[in-house]
Amino acid sequence: MAPTPENTPAGPVLKLAQPLPLDSGRSLAGVEIAYETYGTLNADKSNAIMICHALTGDQHVASPHPITGKPGWWIRMVGPGKPIDTDRFFVICSNVIGSCMGSSGPASMAESGAPYGMSFPVITIRDMVRAQVALVDALGIGRLHAVVGGSMGGMQALSWAANFGDRIDAALIIASTSRHSAQNIAFHEVGRQAIMADPKWNGGDYYGEGGEDPRKGGPESGLAVARMAAHITYLSEQGLTEKFGRRLQDRDAKTFGFDADFQVESYLRYQGLSFTDRFDANSYLYITRAMDYFDLAEEHGGKLADAFRGTKARFCLVSFDTDWLYPTSESRTIAHALNAAGHPVSFMELSAPFGHDSFLLDNDDLDRVVKGFIR
């Protein structure tokens, strides 16, 4: 009998009855998977779409965030009459394991009765997808109409196709990559070191210092700096110049000090501080490590095309011309591998001034691509 989801203030949570095997060779017992669904599953259960979120995202793709109260992170894309039309499709989005919005992660309670902290096992993108497969199984869905993801979500969509290709009909990968470059790893390491250099990190053992909310009382300064560094990679030079230039923040002259003289400094500080209200520092360490470990070719004998031999899914790849985090060349590499494996693939580079974050922002061309592919 499949496990029954429980309702929590943040939404439904599924607790797996069996331990989840991990790429590290370890297994994780009592795994909880928090998720949201939108729309109605049809009688033959053929209209389900899995949306996979990015590094700092969560399951609240089209519903208000329970902590910030802000609209869902892809509400412009998911809903009645929208490109991913919930009048037609049953949409699932789960919080990845290792995260901090209800799914099992470092802040979760271990068998010892204390939070895991750094004793939580290191996880991979494929481990995240294994948990999603378990969720889909519990919902009684044998095959997904499509799996969709941007950035880290695109990595998960690729992992679905490579490891569970017989379970999906289509995969839409937006602004993503088949493996992290040295530059990607380097930026993540800067963020991890900022967190671990914060005295309040305390080796990852900081839970309970800020009361009931595990995000409080820990290495908030380090996490804010990590977010600031990462956020720069999500933007483009053109976008930053147009939005901020060298304009000063609420002043007519430089202070000749180290306050936030420039608008762009104030913006980054705000992004960093607001992030600490909704995210856990240890989760940031674990998820960035999972992204850095991701190498789809390495997982399949060193040849990327071989990763896709076991699927008959349709593929669509989308990149953006100002994305320097996962540039168009990364999507082109995936497209070539899919061609070599004999799979149908649509591939397009869209123009947008917003850099990597373009997939989250208004873009009529992207809307048309998604709507046309998710048919």
Side-chain angles (χ1 to χ4, degrees), residues 190-201 206 215-229 268-269 271-277 279 281 284:
V190 169
R192 287 191 292 264
Q193 288 300 317
I195 290 169
M196 292 188 286
D198 188 323
K200 292 186 177 180
W201 181 60
Y206 54 83
R215 285 168 286 266
K216 296 298 182 181
E220 295 176 45
S221 295
L223 180 58
V225 172
R227 174 62 170 177
M228 290 168 67
L268 286 175
R269 291 185 186 190
Q271 290 294 329
L273 290 173
S274 63
F275 184 59
T276 65
D277 290 335
F279 215 80
Y284 195 88

Side-chain angles (χ1 to χ4, degrees), residues 20-23 124-134 164:
L20 186 73
L22 305 175
D23 279 347
T124 66
I125 297 295
R126 184 160 50 184
D127 293 334
M128 296 174 183
V129 172
R130 286 192 183 101
Q132 293 167 356
V133 171
F164 303 95

Side-chain angles (χ1 to χ4, degrees), residues 72 89 109 172 306 319 372:
F89 299 110
M109 289 296 174
L172 174 56
D306 288 346
S319 67

